[in-house]
Amino acid sequence: MFPLARAAQSLVARGIQHTAVRGAHRKHEPTFHDKYGTMVLLGGASMFTAVWGYVLTSLNIEWGFSPVGRVTPSE
């Protein structure tokens, strides 16, 4: 049983080595995310900030819903 396990292990190791060598020799071409990923992320973050900045400053949202100081007790 031991020689069979060793043969299976070497076969798996050889397959991993072949895959690694194949990937190392391939020319890496930049993908969309390599080219534009940071710009898309920054653009989305700035749009998010601009929209929420507009919403939070232009709408008349009354902050602090606590009635303390605004409600007087009845007699």
Side-chain angles (χ1 to χ4, degrees):
M1 188 68 176
F2 180 73
L4 182 63
R6 187 171 32 172
Q9 182 182 12
S10 69
L11 224 126
V12 169
R14 193 176 314 134
I16 293 172
Q17 286 173 347
H18 282 288
T19 304
V21 168
R22 205 175 330 136
H25 289 297
R26 191 178 60 167
K27 184 178 179 182
H28 177 69
E29 298 174 1
T31 62
F32 176 83
H33 297 288
D34 293 334
K35 291 181 183 177
Y36 309 110
T38 306
M39 293 308 295
V40 170
L41 180 68
L42 292 176
S46 63
M47 275 301 290
F48 178 86
T49 304
V51 168
W52 278 107
Y54 172 78
V55 167
L56 294 176
T57 56
S58 68
L59 296 178
N60 291 329
I61 301 173
E62 187 166 332
W63 301 103
F65 300 110
S66 173
V68 175
R70 286 187 278 160
V71 177
T72 57
S74 60
E75 295 285 336

